[in-house]
Amino acid sequence: MSNNPLIDYTGLPPFSKIRPEHVQPAVEQLIAAGRKKIEQVLAQGDFSWKGLVAALDEEDERLGKAFGPAGHLNGVAQNPALRDAYNACLPLISEYGTEVGQNEKLYAAYQALRDSAEYSTLNEAQKKDLQNTLRDFRLSGVSLPADKKAEYMEIAKKLSELTSRFSDNVLDATQSWRKHVTDESLLDGLPDVARAGAADRAREENLDGWLLTLDFPSYYAVMCHSTNRELREEMYRAHVTRASDTGPDAGKYDNSAIMDEIISLRQQEAQLLGFSSYAEASLETKMARSTEEVIGFLNDLAVKAKPQAQQELAELRAYAAEQGADDLQPWDLTFWSERLREARFSISEEELRPWFPAERVISGMFGIVEKVFGIDIRQRDGVDKWHEDVRFYDVVDASGEVMASFYLDMYARTGKRGGAWMDDCLGRVRLRDGSLQKPVAYLTCNFAPPAGGKPGLLTHDEVVTLFHEFGHGLHHMLTEQEVSGVSGISGVAWDAVELPSQFMENWCWTEEGVAMLSAHYETGEPLPKDKLEKLLAAKNFQSAMGMLRQLEFSIFDMRIHSGLGGKTIAQILDEVRDEVAVIKPPSFNRFQNSFSHIFAGGYAAGYYSYKWAEVLSADAWSKFEEEGVFNPDTGRSFREKILARGGSKEPMELFIDFRGREPSVEPLLRHSGIAA
């Protein structure tokens, strides 16, 4: 057997032992083993659950355990050699996945299990997994003629390469731009935390002064607080032209042609399968039943939100004009919005940072989920990690047994892609030998690290982000399913997968929750009542403008994946903005060139899922509002009826089981402060 650390390891990934040269050989070896296993299963003819599904799931698990950690490292600790190794494996993985999905004999074997007497003895999760598998065979082109199958496979391989290149270009463009500042007056208005972070980044590169970057903590601090309008404009232009044909790196990391090819190939793929568009094909695995239903849902919200958004923008313009800024440009909007927020509510995000030190927020978040869901979270030392900042925790049930674990990687750094996300390291599954593999999650954020001798201090908005990702993590970790295809977030309809994450955000907006999350990093005092009241009062500041922005992205996503109709991606985005937006970006803005969610993530023709699931989460939270936000019975019900069930049942059925009825949009509008 190979001595490659990515093959056949037990327990947690051996991160410190993984080298770029390990990745491709491990993947090739495990793909070969997978092909051999399929041949053996088909030859033996044992098309029982254990002989077919469980046997092949275990083989897939081995491949996932090898490639998953390499993919994670590529996102959080990337270097050129690792990137090359990761990208070299993508076409191999894609080709193998498509090959399996188009295997007619294997498809027939799964159909045989469905039609057998054993099917009636399978549990709910097993039946749902089998249904999903048969559906996925069809969506992989199993019924296509040979030439069309080959065409589908080539498209799938090409798409895996293009989406990875898109993501790489965004990371490279983000890290390419930097501004070395030696005149401190250029930093006027920047909070101490941002200055200290910029000074630390400069020191890391043996520079004097300060280093500003397009990493979100640095960029946002400038846009929100810098009194230097020229600096704001410079950074804005660099940020919104990343990976495009214009801006400071014009053409160097340009994603324009890649985007066109991705959209074209997705459309070809969908048409091969008999769908009119990629959007239509994508809904086969979602709650929404048609593109018309999705567009109608989004347009309805836009109609409700737009009048209030127009009023919010008029108030912003009037306020800025009163301060002498009557020529409001895109690089001014965030700055003056924060000033208006401060003036109206006498509160600012930066002012709140000292009360949200990372350690307090983490322990408070754990305390909340422990009270609500009846679990305990304990840090474990001695676990192999990829960076010294990373921590590892176990989730312990009421009996004291470890039921799940997770890595927490909080801070931004070089080589780490931006944003925040949860990903699965290991899924909960009952193996054929009877043992239970317990779930392990990766929780990743990009907050400003400790700097200037101070601990990591979070804005309240960052606290909300942390809760959001932890909600995804709880969905993965508190599952009780033992079939890999429906365990945790696996098999959950994409437009329902945001329900637990958005639901968890609500505790950040309760008096009881904030009391557990806040303690001044120097004095230990909780957030004063007057500041808490101002924070809660400011919750829905410019909420309609924020909602319209999300709706703009969602409608744009559905439109480009429903067929371009001879138009360019940029033209469709402009049309959507004409219909929906109250703020029109300048012509040089290339937001779409770094829209990784839909061009490199899992949200293609699915970005609407954020709003769709927000209806579910707001209505679910309204039950807690009625029964008590720390009511253990309500928490137990949510855990048992939503989190524990994973993808074992349709999400609407799970929601009705929890809420007692179908979801209503009213709680979302009420929580957002938007009149119905």
Side-chain angles (χ1 to χ4, degrees):
M1 182 57 68
S2 169
N3 61 3
N4 189 318
L6 283 171
I7 296 178
D8 290 330
Y9 67 86
T10 58
L12 298 170
F15 287 110
S16 66
K17 298 177 182 177
I18 298 174
R19 301 289 180 268
E21 60 269 21
H22 295 149
V23 179
Q24 187 170 347
V27 167
E28 290 173 340
Q29 183 172 333
L30 291 169
I31 285 176
R35 289 188 172 115
K36 184 176 181 180
K37 187 67 175 182
I38 291 171
E39 291 175 2
Q40 290 175 346
V41 167
L42 292 175
Q44 290 166 0
D46 177 8
F47 301 152
S48 64
W49 178 268
K50 188 172 183 179
L52 174 67
V53 182
L56 295 183
D57 280 354
E58 282 194 14
E59 208 61 44
D60 288 343
E61 188 71 26
R62 291 180 66 213
L63 178 57
K65 285 174 68 176
F67 191 58
H72 181 69
L73 285 179
N74 191 57
V76 298
Q78 191 186 89
N79 58 59
L82 180 60
R83 174 191 288 192
D84 289 345
Y86 174 79
N87 286 337
C89 291
L90 290 177
L92 305 178
I93 297 282
S94 175
E95 181 176 14
Y96 176 62
T98 305
E99 173 190 312
V100 172
Q102 294 183 345
N103 188 320
E104 294 176 36
K105 292 181 180 178
L106 192 58
Y107 179 46
Y110 278 88
Q111 288 178 310
L113 173 58
R114 183 199 57 193
D115 297 336
S116 70
E118 184 188 3
Y119 182 77
S120 64
T121 69
L122 300 181
N123 62 37
E124 178 182 71
Q126 291 171 323
K127 288 179 179 178
K128 185 66 166 67
D129 179 58
L130 186 55
Q131 293 165 10
N132 289 350
T133 301
L134 291 170
R135 175 203 66 198
D136 292 343
F137 269 112
R138 294 189 292 271
L139 292 176
S140 294
V142 70
S143 301
L144 294 175
D147 60 330
K148 298 299 183 184
K149 281 184 176 179
E151 185 179 348
Y152 183 99
M153 181 176 290
E154 286 305 310
I155 289 174
K157 284 167 59 178
K158 186 66 175 175
L159 279 171
S160 71
E161 296 168 13
L162 289 170
T163 53
S164 182
R165 280 172 55 197
F166 183 98
S167 183
D168 288 344
N169 282 343
V170 174
L171 178 62
D172 289 345
T174 301
Q175 297 193 342
S176 172
W177 189 93
R178 65 235 345 264
K179 186 175 182 67
H180 182 208
V181 176
T182 54
D183 179 0
E184 190 170 8
S185 66
L186 289 176
L187 305 180
D188 284 352
L190 286 194
D192 290 343
V193 169
R195 290 187 188 221
D200 282 355
R201 280 189 293 274
R203 277 193 293 273
E204 287 170 5
E205 302 203 15
N206 298 314
L207 298 171
D208 296 328
W210 303 264
L211 194 64
L212 301 176
T213 72
L214 295 183
D215 287 332
F216 189 76
S218 177
Y219 172 74
Y220 186 73
V222 171
M223 300 310 297
C224 200
H225 299 289
S226 173
T227 59
N228 188 314
R229 195 183 190 207
E230 291 74 22
L231 177 62
R232 295 202 307 267
E233 179 179 358
E234 182 182 359
M235 289 192 72
Y236 174 86
R237 286 179 178 272
H239 188 264
V240 303
T241 58
R242 287 175 301 156
S244 78
D245 59 337
T246 188
D249 277 329
K252 189 173 183 182
Y253 307 108
D254 190 3
N255 272 332
S256 302
I258 293 174
M259 293 155 54
D260 290 337
E261 194 170 2
I262 287 173
I263 294 299
S264 175
L265 288 172
R266 285 174 176 167
Q267 181 69 10
Q268 292 175 46
E269 181 182 79
Q271 290 177 334
L272 276 174
L273 297 175
F275 297 100
S276 64
S277 68
Y278 183 83
E280 182 184 323
S282 81
L283 295 183
E284 288 291 297
T285 59
K286 296 181 173 70
M287 283 180 69
R289 291 160 294 190
S290 69
T291 56
E292 292 77 16
E293 182 182 17
V294 173
I295 291 293
F297 165 74
L298 297 172
N299 284 336
D300 181 57
L301 283 180
V303 167
K304 289 180 169 67
K306 192 166 185 177
Q308 184 169 318
Q310 290 170 326
Q311 180 181 342
E312 291 170 355
L313 181 59
E315 291 170 354
L316 176 61
R317 292 190 184 280
Y319 174 78
E322 290 172 7
Q323 312 306 312
D326 52 5
D327 176 30
L328 212 58
Q329 295 297 323
W331 44 91
D332 302 320
L333 293 171
T334 305
F335 177 81
W336 286 111
S337 290
E338 184 63 12
R339 303 292 82 72
L340 176 58
R341 185 176 184 271
E342 292 169 359
R344 183 172 294 175
F345 301 103
S346 301
I347 198 78
S348 73
E349 284 279 1
E350 290 301 320
E351 179 186 344
L352 294 173
R353 272 192 198 270
W355 277 274
F356 292 110
E359 298 304 317
R360 173 67 176 188
V361 172
I362 292 169
S363 64
M365 180 174 71
F366 293 169
I368 287 171
V369 298
E370 287 165 357
K371 288 182 69 172
V372 175
F373 298 124
I375 57 176
D376 191 21
I377 299 176
R378 304 171 185 172
Q379 186 169 349
R380 193 204 309 179
D381 297 324
V383 173
D384 194 2
K385 303 176 295 188
W386 56 91
H387 191 273
E388 60 184 8
D389 288 344
V390 178
R391 298 183 187 180
F392 190 84
Y393 297 89
D394 290 319
V395 179
V396 180
D397 65 16
S399 69
E401 182 181 352
V402 174
M403 58 185 303
S405 307
F406 63 96
Y407 299 87
L408 180 60
D409 187 354
M410 291 271 286
Y411 301 116
R413 59 178 176 269
T414 302
K416 183 179 179 183
R417 68 178 172 90
W421 67 91
M422 189 287 296
D423 203 356
D424 62 315
C425 174
L426 296 173
R428 178 182 164 99
V429 60
R430 179 70 64 180
L431 301 173
R432 286 194 299 165
D433 64 6
S435 64
L436 181 65
Q437 176 176 283
K438 297 178 180 179
V440 180
Y442 301 118
L443 294 172
T444 309
C445 298
N446 270 281
F447 305 141
K454 295 180 180 179
L457 301 174
L458 308 186
T459 65
H460 183 263
D461 187 57
E462 289 172 334
V463 175
V464 173
T465 296
L466 181 61
F467 268 71
H468 180 101
E469 300 309 329
F470 199 55
H472 283 307
L474 291 173
H475 202 183
H476 176 69
M477 294 185 289
L478 297 188
T479 187
E480 294 179 2
Q481 306 309 310
E482 298 182 353
V483 177
S484 62
V486 295
S487 177
I489 63 171
S490 297
V492 177
W494 200 259
D495 42 10
V497 81
E498 295 293 336
L499 163 58
S501 55
Q502 293 172 334
F503 167 81
M504 282 302 301
E505 296 177 15
N506 289 287
W507 272 280
C508 305
W509 297 104
T510 64
E511 184 172 351
E512 305 94 321
V514 172
M516 295 178 69
L517 297 168
S518 63
H520 196 282
Y521 79 98
E522 290 178 320
T523 66
E525 66 169 315
L527 187 68
K529 189 169 181 61
D530 66 319
K531 290 187 183 297
L532 172 64
E533 291 172 349
K534 293 171 183 176
L535 170 66
L536 299 182
K539 175 179 183 288
N540 289 322
F541 177 64
Q542 296 184 345
S543 62
M545 287 170 62
M547 181 178 286
L548 275 194
R549 183 167 168 80
Q550 289 295 101
L551 294 171
E552 173 191 320
F553 298 164
S554 301
I555 295 171
F556 164 67
D557 171 41
M558 288 302 291
R559 290 262 186 96
I560 62 172
H561 286 109
S562 296
L564 296 178
K567 298 172 183 175
T568 66
I569 291 171
Q571 285 172 336
I572 290 180
L573 181 54
D574 287 341
E575 288 180 357
V576 172
R577 286 170 171 162
D578 287 341
E579 297 167 13
V580 176
V582 294
I583 298 172
K584 304 292 176 61
S587 60
F588 62 78
N589 185 294
R590 297 291 188 274
F591 152 78
Q592 63 271 27
N593 287 56
S594 59
F595 195 4
S596 295
H597 275 78
I598 68 169
F599 288 110
Y603 286 86
Y607 197 80
Y608 77 91
S609 301
Y610 282 105
K611 279 295 163 220
W612 187 278
E614 202 172 346
V615 171
L616 305 177
S617 66
D619 202 351
W621 177 249
S622 68
K623 184 175 176 69
F624 281 78
E625 290 178 313
E626 295 163 7
E627 300 177 357
V629 298
F630 282 114
N631 186 314
D633 293 331
T634 315
R636 186 181 308 110
S637 177
F638 188 83
R639 175 179 168 181
E640 292 174 352
K641 295 179 178 181
I642 303 291
L643 300 176
R645 302 295 290 279
S648 65
K649 207 168 186 178
E650 292 300 324
M652 184 62 79
E653 296 179 62
L654 298 182
F655 183 89
I656 293 172
D657 190 26
F658 170 70
R659 197 67 182 91
R661 55 167 174 75
E662 289 195 359
S664 164
V665 75
E666 187 278 330
L668 170 61
L669 296 172
R670 176 168 53 84
H671 292 160
S672 302
I674 295 173

